[in-house]
Amino acid sequence: MRVIAIDDHPLILAGIEQIVNDQPNTQMVGRASTIADLHGLLATTACDVLIADYSLPREDAADGLSLLRQIQRQYPDLKIIVLTMLDNAAVIRVIMNSGVAALVSKRDPLNHISIALQSLRGGLTYRSPTMQSLLDESRHAAAGGALSGRELEVLRLFAAGMSMTEVALKVNRTVKTASAHKVSAMRKLGVKNDSELHAALRDLRLL
């Protein structure tokens, strides 16, 4: 199993590399600290698994949920393990429902990456204990469904400061339809007002 990892903290990257290389038949084939470096590695280095910090420093490129979806479109067979400090239950479920193979909280010991790799090798998904607890919480709250492409687009435009009338014009929909997409996305994110929505959008790296 060939692994590429991205994190902007050198010590965490070093820890990930040690954990990966300690696994049987598993090898770290690339390390990146920026999104630009990651895209370069993925384009030139064959790999089976990407271990990615969710909240990377802002660059002139997609990050967060947008980055995950972009990578999934370009490399549909690549399995992704997401590392994160997020503790918003509904947001965590949205990330999981985006199609990632594993979620590991940085609040849990880093060796859960090893368990995640073993699970992936067996064709399974994995959530570390903190992530599983948050996912259970969001399930009880009936939130956290997968955001559709249209909902994501509406949220991105709303986050950019557009009014719903402007958003509707941009996506070529009626204001009623655009607003319905926003309401549906808010339900999935488990938020009740625009203030909570903006907080969730910051967690999703859409703001």
Side-chain angles (χ1 to χ4, degrees):
M1 185 180 287
R2 299 159 298 183
V3 179
I4 287 176
I6 177 169
D7 196 292
D8 61 313
H9 296 94
L11 288 178
I12 291 180
L13 265 182
I16 292 172
E17 182 166 18
Q18 181 175 345
I19 289 169
V20 168
N21 289 335
D22 283 346
Q23 292 287 304
N25 303 313
T26 307
Q27 179 186 8
M28 179 80 85
V29 295
R31 294 169 41 165
S33 57
T34 68
I35 296 171
D37 288 345
L38 174 63
H39 284 305
L41 275 173
L42 291 173
T44 59
T45 309
C47 71
D48 306 295
V49 177
L50 169 65
I51 301 174
D53 181 11
Y54 184 77
S55 302
L56 294 162
R58 294 285 188 179
E59 299 178 29
D60 293 328
D63 69 346
L65 191 63
S66 298
L67 176 63
L68 293 176
R69 292 197 171 198
Q70 183 183 90
I71 291 172
Q72 288 166 334
R73 285 194 302 270
Q74 292 179 294
Y75 309 97
D77 295 328
L78 182 65
K79 294 179 174 64
I80 301 176
I81 298 173
V82 170
L83 306 180
T84 182
M85 286 288 290
L86 291 176
D87 58 5
N88 181 311
V91 168
I92 291 299
R93 180 161 290 279
V94 167
I95 295 171
M96 191 69 199
N97 286 340
S98 72
V100 302
L103 271 172
V104 175
S105 173
K106 288 186 173 181
R107 302 174 194 276
D108 292 320
L110 209 56
N111 62 13
H112 279 277
I113 293 173
S114 173
I115 304 172
L117 288 168
Q118 293 170 25
S119 297
L120 267 57
R121 189 176 287 109
L124 304 173
T125 58
Y126 179 75
R127 280 86 64 181
S128 70
T130 296
M131 291 292 97
Q132 187 61 59
S133 176
L134 288 167
L135 288 168
D136 290 342
E137 178 184 331
S138 71
R139 185 181 298 114
H140 295 153
L147 291 173
S148 70
R150 183 66 70 188
E151 289 168 348
L152 190 59
E153 183 180 13
V154 167
L155 288 183
R156 190 177 291 112
L157 294 171
F158 179 74
M162 288 188 179
S163 68
M164 288 313 298
T165 300
E166 292 169 325
V167 170
L169 287 171
K170 187 73 174 179
V171 301
N172 196 28
R173 294 291 188 274
T174 65
V175 174
K176 181 179 179 180
T177 299
S179 296
H181 287 309
K182 180 190 171 196
V183 169
S184 175
M186 289 176 69
R187 176 182 56 78
K188 292 176 181 179
L189 291 170
V191 300
K192 301 179 181 63
N193 53 52
D194 283 353
S195 177
E196 292 181 2
L197 176 59
H198 276 84
L201 293 177
R202 281 192 293 273
D203 283 344
L204 287 168
R205 309 289 284 182
L206 294 177
L207 192 63

